Every structure is written in structure tokens, then in C-alpha cells.
Amino acid sequence: MKLHAQPINVVSILGNDYSLKAPEGQEETLSQAVRMLNAALAETKRSYPTLIGDKLLVLAALNLCSKQIELQREHAQTLERTQAQIDATVDAISRTIGDQ
């Protein structure tokens, strides 16, 4: 059995190049993540122009994590609302069938 070597992707973050291996089929996800991180770094740098290096990276990462938590909460609320609507529909159908 021949193993396929994962290609090495060179990405640039804060002016530094990093050689990363993405699992097969995940190269585009890595590329999108790098673009998202670089955008978050640029946004954070605009808000806090004196930050550099690790401090800038940590603050940008915290901002991204905060956004992720907000999205997870919104997703959970959407699921709860959808489940409540489904339950109400099933109850209405059950009542309709029961009335016949």
C-alpha cells in the first residue's frame, strides 16, 4: 500500500512564512483559515495600531474565538427554535389525526 505524502503548504502570517501540512482534501480549508486569520490580524491592528507580534496575534485569536462562541450560541438557539416548530407541527398533525 502506497502512502501519499501530504503536500506542504507555505503560508504567510504576520510576515512570517510557515510550512504546514493540510490533510488531503483540506487544502482549501487551510487557505480560507489563513485568509480569515490575516483579515482578523489586519482588523485588530487597525483597532490597536501599537500592538505587534504575539500580543497582536493573541488578541486577534481571542476575537476570532469570541465570534465562534457567538455563532455556536446562535446556532444552538436556531436549532431550539426549529425543534420547537417541528414539535408544534407534529402535535398539530397528531391532534388533527386524532380528531378524525
Side-chain angles (χ1 to χ4, degrees):
M1 180 167 85
K2 184 178 179 184
L3 294 176
H4 295 285
Q6 293 176 334
I8 295 176
N9 300 276
V10 177
V11 300
S12 181
I13 299 169
L14 287 178
N16 295 312
D17 288 341
Y18 297 89
S19 298
L20 304 172
K21 292 181 182 178
E24 188 174 333
Q26 294 297 312
E27 297 86 2
E28 181 57 29
T29 300
L30 173 61
S31 178
Q32 289 175 343
V34 169
R35 286 193 301 271
M36 181 183 287
L37 178 56
N38 280 325
L41 287 164
E43 179 181 329
T44 304
K45 186 69 174 170
R46 279 192 300 275
S47 298
Y48 302 94
T50 60
L51 286 183
I52 58 171
D54 290 348
K55 291 182 180 185
L56 176 62
L57 188 58
V58 168
L59 187 55
L62 286 172
N63 286 336
L64 286 171
C65 290
S66 295
K67 289 177 184 177
Q68 178 65 27
I69 291 167
E70 287 177 25
L71 289 172
Q72 288 173 332
R73 286 182 184 151
E74 289 174 13
H75 180 68
Q77 291 171 349
T78 299
L79 286 176
E80 288 174 18
R81 283 192 304 272
T82 302
Q83 187 61 53
Q85 291 171 343
I86 291 170
D87 291 345
T89 302
V90 168
D91 288 345
I93 291 170
S94 295
R95 283 193 306 275
T96 301
I97 293 172
D99 290 343
Q100 293 180 2

